[in-house]
Amino acid sequence: MSLYDLARSGDVDGLEEMLLESDSPAVRKRACELLGEIATKEDMDAIETLVSVAVTDESSAVKAAAVDGLDEIGAEAVEQLLVEITGEKIDEGADWAVAKRFAKALSSNIPELRMAAASALGKLGDESGINSLKSALSDEDPRVRQRVCMALGEINHPSAVPALIDRLSDPNGQVRHEAAIALSAIGTDQALGALKNMMDADNTAIRRIAASALGEAGTADVVEPLAAALNDPDEGVRSAAIYSIIELLSNVDTQKSHSIRERIVTELQDADDATVEPIVEILEESSQQRQRRNAAWFLGRVVDEPNRKTVDVLVDALESDDTQTAQFAATSLAEMGGELVEDELLELVESDAPDDARAQGVFILGKVGGERSRDVVENLTEDDSKQVRKRAFSAISKLKGR
C-alpha cells in the first residue's frame, strides 16, 4: 500500500513500518508527517518511533519532520523527545514549570531538541517562555529559528514584535516567512506596519511573504495593501494576495466579516482574469470549506464576463457536500448569467448528477434562462425527482413571465 492509502485508512502501524524500513529519505519524511496527522497521544508506539527517528535518522530533513510529527500529536509527545534526549522525566506541574524545562532545552547542543522545545513552548502558550524564545531567534540553525517564530506567533504577545521584525531580514526564506506570519497573527499596529512596508520592497520574495502573511491579520486594515498587490508585476505576489484575501475572510470574526467583505468587493470590482484565476483555483482545489465558500461567493461579485473554466468550476460546486458552498455557487452563477452559464446548466439538469445539484441548476435557469431553458424545464416538471419537479414548476412561471 502507498503512504497515502495507509494514512487514509488510519493504519498507524503500517506507516511506522514504512518509516522504519524505507531507504528513501523522502518516504521517511512523508511517513513522519502523516503519522503526525493521524496518530494520537494514545498511540505510544508511534510516538516512540518518531522520537527514535528524531534522534537517530541520518537525514536532517527526516529528523525535522519527526519533530513536526510529534508536535502535531501534542505537547505530551514532544515531552517524550525531551525525556529521551536528556534522560530526565518531566514531572507534572503548572504550565510555567513545564515551560521552564522547555526553555532550558532551547540551549541544548542538539538542534532537534531545540526545535522540539520551541514547538512545545508555542503549544503551551505560557508567556513565561517568551524571553527565552526571543533569545533563540538568533539560533545558528534556521530550522530552530523557524519554529521559534511559529511559537511566538502562537503565544501571540506584543512584546515579541520587535524581535520578530528583526527576523524579516533573516537570510533564510522560511524564517522570514514564519516571522511575517507570526507578526500578522499578533496584529498590533507595529506588527502590521512592518508587513505593509514589506509590500513596497524591491525584492519579489519579500513582497510575496508579506502578501501571504497579511491574510492572518483578521482586520480590514490590510485590505488596501492586499488589493494593491493584485497589480503587482509578479504573478506569485498577486496569487498570494488573493489567497490572503480569501484566508482573511475565512478566519475573521463574524462580526467583522460583513465590513471586510464589502471593502474587498469594492477593491476587486474591476478584477481581471489574472485576479480571478487564483479564486477559481481555491474553489476547485481547497480542502477547507470556509475558503471554498468565500471563493464561490466572490466570483459572482467580481466576474462580469466569465470564461468556461470559471463557469465549469462553479457548476461543479453545485454538487458540493457543503450546502453553503453549493448555495454561494448558485448565487454567483445567477449573478453572472449569460449564454455560457445557460449552456452548462442545461447540460447539468439533464445529466445523472445528484438531485440537489440538478434542482439548483433548474432554480438558476429560472433566473437566467431563455427559450431553450423553458423547453427543457417544462420537461423536468415530470422528472423522477420531487426536488427537481418542485424547482421546475417554480422556474417555469419565471421563464414564462419573461
Side-chain angles (χ1 to χ4, degrees):
M1 290 180 74
S2 68
L3 287 172
Y4 174 76
D5 290 332
L6 291 169
R8 188 171 59 177
S9 62
D11 190 347
V12 173
D13 292 339
L15 285 172
E16 284 183 65
E17 188 174 333
M18 291 278 272
L19 173 56
L20 293 172
E21 295 183 1
S22 176
D23 293 329
S24 166
V27 170
R28 297 199 304 276
K29 178 177 181 292
R30 185 60 182 144
C32 289
E33 293 168 349
L34 292 172
L35 275 173
E37 291 176 13
I38 70 170
T40 68
K41 61 182 180 182
E42 281 74 35
D43 293 314
M44 294 307 299
D45 287 345
I47 292 173
E48 289 177 10
T49 297
L50 286 170
V51 167
S52 174
V53 170
V55 175
T56 63
D57 199 278
E58 61 189 20
S59 165
S60 60
V62 175
K63 286 182 176 180
V67 171
D68 286 340
L70 291 166
D71 183 39
E72 191 72 27
I73 294 171
E76 297 94 336
V78 179
E79 287 177 13
Q80 295 305 310
L81 178 60
L82 188 63
V83 171
E84 173 69 20
I85 293 176
T86 64
E88 300 178 16
K89 183 168 175 53
I90 296 180
D91 297 325
E92 296 220 357
D95 282 351
W96 66 266
V98 178
K100 186 175 180 181
R101 291 290 302 276
F102 281 124
K104 183 178 179 182
L106 285 172
S107 59
S108 166
N109 60 358
I110 302 171
E112 287 71 34
L113 179 54
R114 302 199 301 273
M115 291 161 57
S119 295
L121 284 168
K123 286 287 187 292
L124 283 171
D126 192 279
E127 294 176 8
S128 64
I130 290 176
N131 286 335
S132 297
L133 285 168
K134 288 195 292 184
S135 297
L137 282 172
S138 59
D139 194 283
E140 63 182 14
D141 192 316
R143 299 174 302 166
V144 178
R145 300 197 301 274
Q146 180 183 345
R147 283 158 182 77
V148 170
C149 290
M150 294 166 67
L152 288 169
E154 287 181 291
I155 296 174
N156 197 0
H157 195 278
S159 65
V161 168
L164 286 167
I165 289 175
D166 287 343
R167 285 301 102 198
L168 293 177
S169 57
D170 194 280
N172 181 275
Q174 282 297 316
V175 177
R176 295 196 300 270
H177 183 261
E178 292 301 339
I181 294 292
L183 287 167
S184 193
I186 294 171
T188 62
D189 289 345
Q190 183 185 18
L192 295 181
L195 294 177
K196 290 176 185 178
N197 288 339
M198 290 173 68
M199 298 294 286
D200 296 324
D202 292 333
N203 186 300
T204 300
I206 290 176
R207 297 199 308 278
R208 194 178 302 149
I209 288 171
S212 176
L214 283 171
E216 304 288 334
T219 171
D221 293 341
V222 301
V223 171
E224 281 77 7
L226 285 173
L230 299 178
N231 297 314
D232 194 278
D234 180 76
E235 180 183 353
V237 176
R238 297 194 300 271
S239 180
I242 282 292
Y243 271 84
S244 278
I245 285 170
I246 299 295
E247 189 69 16
L248 176 61
L249 273 177
S250 300
N251 295 329
V252 75
D253 185 287
T254 306
Q255 293 179 337
K256 300 177 183 176
S257 177
H258 182 67
S259 62
I260 292 179
R261 196 179 294 269
E262 286 193 338
R263 289 177 71 173
I264 291 174
V265 168
T266 300
E267 295 290 343
L268 299 187
Q269 207 70 61
D270 300 320
D272 56 19
D273 288 344
T275 299
V276 171
E277 189 175 330
I279 305 179
V280 171
E281 187 177 301
I282 291 169
L283 177 56
E284 185 177 33
E285 299 179 5
S286 176
S287 59
Q288 296 185 34
Q289 284 185 353
R290 294 182 69 184
Q291 287 187 352
R292 298 186 73 238
R293 290 174 190 171
N294 283 314
W297 186 89
F298 264 121
L299 286 172
R301 274 75 189 170
V302 301
V303 178
D304 289 326
E305 298 181 9
N307 57 30
R308 183 168 294 279
K309 171 75 170 179
T310 301
V311 174
D312 285 347
V313 170
L314 283 167
V315 171
D316 287 344
L318 295 177
E319 300 185 34
S320 173
D321 293 334
D322 178 54
T323 303
Q324 279 190 282
T325 299
Q327 289 175 344
F328 284 146
T331 302
S332 287
L333 287 166
E335 289 279 345
M336 292 174 186
E339 188 174 336
L340 183 56
V341 170
E342 186 178 12
D343 287 344
E344 296 300 308
L345 290 174
L346 286 171
E347 185 176 328
L348 170 72
V349 299
E350 294 189 294
S351 72
D352 58 358
D355 290 346
D356 285 349
R358 293 175 61 232
Q360 285 275 29
V362 173
F363 169 74
I364 304 164
L365 285 173
K367 290 177 171 290
V368 305
E371 287 291 333
R372 293 180 301 149
S373 295
R374 187 170 66 179
D375 294 339
V376 171
V377 172
E378 274 192 306
N379 290 334
L380 292 174
T381 59
E382 299 179 5
D383 195 83
D384 293 338
S385 166
K386 182 179 179 180
Q387 274 181 289
V388 174
R389 292 197 305 271
K390 183 178 178 180
R391 290 290 195 184
F393 280 115
S394 174
I396 280 293
S397 64
K398 295 175 183 174
L399 286 165
K400 287 183 176 178
R402 282 205 296 279

